[in-house]
Amino acid sequence: MSAARSPITRRTLLIGGGAGVGLALAWALWPRGYQPNLRAGKGETLFNAFLKIGRDGRVIVAVPQAELGQGVYTSLPQILADELGADWRTVSVEPAPLSPLYANQLLAEQLSGSDLPSPLQGIRRWAAREYASRNALMLTGGSTSVRAFEPRLREAGAAARALLSLAAAERLGVSWDQLDTAGGFVTHGRQRIAFADLAEAAANLDLPEVLPVRGGLDNRLTGKPLPRLDLPAKVDGSALFAGDVRLPDMVYASVRGGPIGDSRLVQADIDAANRIPGVLAAFQEESWAGAAATNWWLADRAVRAMNPAFETAGVLVDDAGIAARLSEALAGDGAVRLVERGDADAAFADGATLEAQYSVAAAPSAAPETLTATARLTGDRLEVWAPTQAPSLARAAVARAAGLAPGDVTLYPTLIGGGYGRKLETAAIEQAVIMAIRMRRPVQLVWSRTQECIADGFRPPALAKLSAKFGAGKRLTGWRARITVPDTLAQVVARLRDGTAEAGAEAGSGAIAGAEPPYAIANVSVEHAAADLGLRTGVWRSGAHSYSCFFTESFIDELARLAGLEPFSFRIGMLADNPRLARALTTVTALGGWDGGGSGSMQGLAAHSAFGSHVALLVEAGVEDGRIRVGRAVCAVDCGRVVNPEIVRQLVEGAIIHGISAATGARLGFDRGLPSIRTLARYRLPRLRDTPEISVEIIESDEPPGGVTELAVPPVAPAIANALFASTGQRLRALPLQLG
C-alpha cells in the first residue's frame, strides 16, 4: 500500500481494533479508530503501523520507544521479525512517528496511581489507556518497553506473515495455511518466494478470519543473542545523537540558570558577552542567561563572561534544611498508609519491637549526554531535533514555548546518550526554541556539565523508620515502614504538563514503590510521609525502588542476625508465596558459593521483585586502602520470556555498575541552593579498575516478559552494605555508604 492510498480492508482493521478470531483478545487492547501515519518511502510497502517491507528485501520496523542504550532498537524489532519469519540481516529500524497507535498504555496505567478501591481499578486502567491513546502519550521508562509492546509487535508480524502467505498461495496454487516463513521467504517444501517479491501484492489483500501465532522452535529469533542493530553505527560514529545535528546557517548556544528553587535573573553583563569575537547574540530571560556564537566553546565563554546574578525566593536549599524537613515529616502525623496487609496495628500493640532508621542522600542523574536540542523556524513551522523519552510531551512543551499549535511543530527524536529519566525533561528544548525564534536561524543548544549538574533532576533524599515484630519460631509476624520522601512523580508531571517549577508534596504510591516486602509476613503496613524539601527531583534509574529495597533488604539482614539465623535461610523461609524470587535467591547462592555471610566472610545478599521480574544478588565487598571495594557480583534474574539474552546480560551488568556508583560514590550535598558537586570527576564514578567480576544467570521461564533495564539497580546497595557488615562488623544505614 502506498502512503497515499489506504483502503479500508480487514488489513487496516489491524490498526483500527478489529481482528480475526485468532488474535481478537490481544487486538482489543489496540487503540481504536486510528490510521497509521508511518510513511512508506520509495520502494517500500506499508503493512501496518509497525512494518514496511522494501523491494530490496529490507524489513523496516518502526520502534515506538526511545533508544537510550537499553537495546530497544534490537529487542523490539526482534519480536516482530521472529513472528514474521524474517532474516535478521535484512532488518532495519526507524523511530515511530507521533501517533496514538504507539502510546505506552502500560506505563500510563502505572503512572496513573493505584490508590483507588479495588472495584475502581478497572476504570482507572481503562481511563489511563484512553488518555494515553488520545494524547499519543509515547513514553519510554519504567522498564516497560518489551512488556508494553510485545503483543502489538507480535500481532503486527503475524498479520504480515499471513498476508505474505496468502499472496504466495495464489502463485503456488496451495492453501495459505500450508505455508511457512523463514529467513525472509515464504516456503512450501523446497519452494520459496522472497518477501520482497510478494510485498506489494500481499499488502492489498484482506486478512484471514483466523491468524495463527507461530509455534515450534525451528527458524525462531526470539531467545537468541542476535547482534544489536544500533551498535555498528555507534562504533563507527555514524549514529546521530542530538549533538551531531548540523544544519545550514546553524549557530551554537550555551545557557546558565540560577540556584535550585524559584530563581530569577537580576543581572547579566551583555556587553562582556558581545566583546568576545564570534558571539552573535546574548539572551536575558526570566530564569536564565544565554549566548549564541559560531561555536559552542565561544558561546559558553560568553555566558561565563556575562556573570549572571540570580535572586531566589524563599529559603535556599542546603543539607541542614533537607535533614530537618525529613526528620520533621518522619516524626509528624501526616503520613498516609498506602500498603496494608493483615492488621499491623494489632501486631505491634504489645511486646518487644525491633526498630532501625535508614537514610539516602540525593543522587545525580550524571548522564553522559547533557541536555541538548536543535531548533529551526521556517516560516510558521518549527522543527526540533532532541533526545527525548516523551516526544508527545516534548512537542507540547515546544508549542507552548513558541506560541504555536502542536500541529505546527515537527519533532525528530534522536538517539539518547543515557539518562534513564533525565531525557523526560524539556527545559533545554524550550530554551533552544526561544533562541531560534529570536535569531531567525537554527540554534543548537548544549548544556555545559556545570549547568547539567546544577539543574539536574535529582533522585530525592529519603528517610525511613522500619519496625519488626517476631513471633513463635523466630518468624516475622509484623512489619511496619514509614518513609518520608518528596513525591517525585508529581513534580515531573507538573513540569511536563505546564512548565511549572514544582508540585506540592502530595502522597503517592510511586514515592514508595517497592517498599512492600516480598516476604510472607502476615501483618504489614507501609506509610508515606510526604516532604517538601524545596529540591527539584526527577526520574532516576529504578526510581523509588533504589531506596525502598535498600531499606527493606538491609533491615531483613539485621533481623536475620538478631534472630541468630543465616540470612539466606531466613529469607527463603518467607518466600513460599513467591517461588520465582525464591528460585532466583537459591540460584545466586549456589552459583556464588554463598558461605553464610558470617563474620569475616565479605559476602552479602539482597533480593527484590519489581517491574514484573525478580532478581537476587550476591556480592563480595570489603575495605581496601580506606575505600569500599566490590570484588565480585553474582546475579540471578527471572524476567519471564527472554527476547535477547545478551541484551538482558548487558542491562544487568550495567545496572550493577550503576548501583555500585550510587552506593559507593561521593555524597551529593547542597549549600545555598547549589549542589556540592558540579563535575563528573568529583562524583567518583566507577572506572574499569573499580568494576568487579560480574556473573549473570538468566533463569528460564515461560512467564510473560518482565522489565530488566532497571531491575538490578535496587539490590546492589543493600547487598554491599550487608557484605560490609559481614567483613567489618559495621552496619551502614545511610546511602551512599561511608565508612565511620
Side-chain angles (χ1 to χ4, degrees):
M1 182 182 67
S2 69
R5 187 165 62 89
S6 301
I8 302 300
T9 66
R10 187 174 294 275
R11 171 176 49 78
T12 58
L13 288 178
L14 169 64
I15 308 303
V21 176
L23 294 172
L25 291 178
W27 282 0
L29 299 178
W30 281 54
R32 296 175 179 269
Y34 300 103
Q35 290 296 315
N37 61 342
L38 181 66
R39 301 288 298 186
K42 185 177 180 180
E44 296 175 350
T45 299
L46 181 66
F47 275 77
N48 51 54
F50 291 94
L51 176 65
K52 300 182 290 185
I53 296 178
R55 290 179 190 153
D56 56 2
R58 286 182 305 126
V59 172
I60 306 110
V61 180
V63 175
Q65 296 282 272
E67 176 58 75
L68 43 84
Q70 83 281 37
V72 292
Y73 271 20
T74 299
S75 56
L76 296 186
Q78 190 169 346
I79 294 167
L80 190 151
D82 174 66
E83 191 63 42
L84 179 64
D87 183 339
W88 186 246
R89 295 170 297 180
T90 68
V91 176
S92 60
V93 177
E94 65 180 56
L98 277 174
S99 169
L101 296 167
Y102 307 115
N104 190 334
Q105 296 176 330
L106 174 60
L107 186 54
E109 289 180 29
Q110 295 178 356
L111 295 177
S112 67
S114 57
D115 305 326
L116 293 173
S118 56
L120 300 178
Q121 291 299 313
I123 297 175
R124 176 187 63 81
R125 289 192 292 270
W126 172 84
R129 290 196 299 267
E130 285 294 302
Y131 178 86
S133 298
R134 293 177 185 181
N135 292 275
L137 201 59
M138 296 171 66
L139 294 169
T140 302
S143 290
T144 59
S145 294
V146 172
R147 290 186 290 159
F149 290 97
E150 188 208 35
R152 283 186 253 181
L153 288 164
R154 196 162 292 288
E155 292 151 13
R161 177 167 49 83
L163 293 173
L164 290 166
S165 296
L166 284 168
E170 291 182 1
R171 295 191 188 184
L172 298 174
V174 297
S175 174
W176 76 273
D177 54 10
Q178 296 178 17
L179 304 178
D180 197 3
T181 58
F185 293 88
V186 178
T187 64
H188 182 250
R190 294 189 176 184
Q191 295 178 298
R192 63 179 193 170
I193 307 175
F195 290 172
D197 296 334
L198 297 167
E200 292 185 20
N204 287 295
L205 299 175
D206 289 343
L207 285 170
E209 291 295 332
V210 178
L211 290 179
V213 176
R214 289 188 78 189
L217 300 176
D218 295 334
N219 303 314
R220 303 306 301 266
L221 299 179
T222 293
K224 294 185 178 180
L226 300 179
R228 287 179 57 157
L229 298 179
D230 58 322
L231 286 188
K234 290 178 178 178
V235 171
D236 66 24
S238 61
L240 186 69
F241 289 86
D244 297 319
V245 173
R246 295 293 181 267
L247 301 174
D249 200 34
M250 188 177 79
V251 299
Y252 303 84
S254 181
V255 299
R256 180 64 58 85
I260 297 165
D262 186 12
S263 293
R264 295 292 181 266
L265 179 67
V266 295
Q267 182 179 330
D269 191 342
I270 298 294
D271 291 338
N274 289 331
R275 283 194 295 267
I276 297 175
V279 171
L280 303 172
F283 300 86
Q284 293 184 87
E285 296 299 313
E286 185 179 11
S287 59
W288 54 273
T294 54
N295 64 56
W296 184 85
W297 292 270
L298 287 174
D300 193 55
R301 180 183 167 192
V303 170
R304 287 184 274 114
M306 292 169 70
N307 194 24
F310 297 87
E311 183 178 74
T312 305
V315 178
L316 290 168
V317 176
D318 60 20
D319 288 344
I322 290 173
R325 293 184 185 186
L326 286 174
S327 296
E328 181 182 351
L330 189 67
D333 57 4
V336 177
R337 184 168 294 183
L338 297 176
V339 175
E340 187 164 19
R341 193 165 76 211
D343 191 342
D345 292 335
F348 284 92
D350 56 12
T353 299
L354 303 168
E355 293 186 349
Q357 187 165 299
Y358 301 88
S359 66
V360 300
S365 296
E369 177 191 43
T370 62
L371 293 190
T372 304
T374 302
R376 176 171 65 185
L377 181 67
T378 305
D380 58 354
R381 298 195 63 82
L382 189 65
E383 295 173 285
V384 174
W385 291 258
T388 175
Q389 294 174 242
S392 58
L393 296 177
R395 187 178 71 162
V398 168
R400 284 196 306 269
L404 297 172
D408 294 328
V409 176
T410 301
L411 181 73
Y412 305 105
T414 64
L415 293 171
I416 297 176
Y420 296 104
R422 182 66 180 140
K423 299 308 189 300
L424 288 168
E425 305 288 349
T426 62
I429 302 175
E430 297 169 49
Q431 291 166 346
V433 166
I434 291 171
M435 292 180 175
I437 292 175
R438 297 272 179 83
M439 297 189 71
R440 309 299 294 185
R441 63 192 296 183
V443 173
Q444 181 174 98
L445 170 64
V446 177
W447 277 17
S448 67
R449 179 57 60 183
T450 299
Q451 173 66 14
E452 179 73 19
C453 290
I454 292 173
D456 198 356
F458 307 98
R459 185 196 65 187
L463 187 63
K465 183 172 75 173
L466 276 67
S467 308
K469 185 75 176 294
F470 278 106
K474 298 182 178 179
R475 293 186 62 85
L476 284 178
T477 57
W479 178 281
R480 190 160 54 191
R482 174 177 285 200
I483 301 172
T484 179
V485 65
D487 191 338
T488 288
L489 180 58
Q491 284 197 29
V492 173
V493 168
R495 291 199 294 269
L496 294 177
R497 182 182 63 238
D498 55 17
T500 55
E502 313 295 348
E506 302 173 356
S509 57
I512 60 160
E516 181 178 0
Y519 304 105
I521 304 171
N523 305 291
V524 173
S525 78
V526 181
E527 297 175 342
H528 175 217
D532 184 357
L533 307 179
L535 184 66
R536 179 182 51 253
T537 62
V539 177
W540 198 84
R541 190 173 185 178
S542 77
H545 294 271
S546 65
Y547 50 80
S548 63
C549 181
F550 173 66
F551 300 152
T552 298
E553 287 300 286
S554 295
F555 195 42
I556 282 287
D557 197 78
E558 290 199 54
L559 294 173
R561 297 177 191 280
L562 286 170
L565 298 173
E566 178 264 319
F568 164 69
S569 301
F570 184 68
R571 286 179 171 86
I572 208 72
M574 296 185 290
L575 287 175
D577 297 332
N578 195 340
R580 295 177 67 186
L581 186 60
R583 185 179 179 188
L585 194 57
T586 302
T587 300
V588 82
T589 52
L591 294 178
W594 171 247
D595 61 9
S599 179
S601 80
M602 301 180 70
Q603 290 190 350
L605 287 176
H608 195 56
S609 295
F611 314 110
S613 298
H614 309 269
V615 60
L617 182 69
L618 181 153
V619 302
E620 292 181 354
V623 180
E624 182 181 318
D625 297 328
R627 290 189 61 183
I628 298 170
R629 297 287 185 184
V630 180
R632 187 167 72 108
V634 182
C635 190
V637 172
D638 180 349
C639 56
R641 293 192 304 273
V642 174
V643 175
N644 189 310
E646 184 57 32
I647 290 179
V648 170
R649 288 190 177 88
Q650 292 169 3
L651 291 174
V652 172
E653 291 170 356
I656 290 172
I657 295 172
H658 194 114
I660 292 173
S661 171
T664 65
R667 185 183 187 278
L668 177 63
F670 298 89
D671 182 40
R672 297 188 58 79
L674 296 174
S676 59
I677 297 176
R678 296 193 283 276
T679 65
L680 281 180
R682 291 191 58 200
Y683 281 132
R684 293 210 314 261
L685 301 176
R687 301 188 179 190
L688 186 59
R689 67 187 180 198
D690 304 313
T691 304
E693 173 191 340
I694 299 175
S695 302
V696 178
E697 180 70 12
I698 302 172
I699 297 173
E700 291 188 13
S701 174
D702 292 327
E703 296 292 330
V708 181
T709 303
E710 302 171 274
L711 178 66
V713 174
V716 175
I720 295 173
N722 296 337
L724 290 172
F725 179 80
S727 62
T728 68
Q730 183 179 0
R731 177 60 67 179
L732 303 179
R733 298 190 180 94
L735 284 181
L737 304 171
Q738 295 181 326
L739 300 170

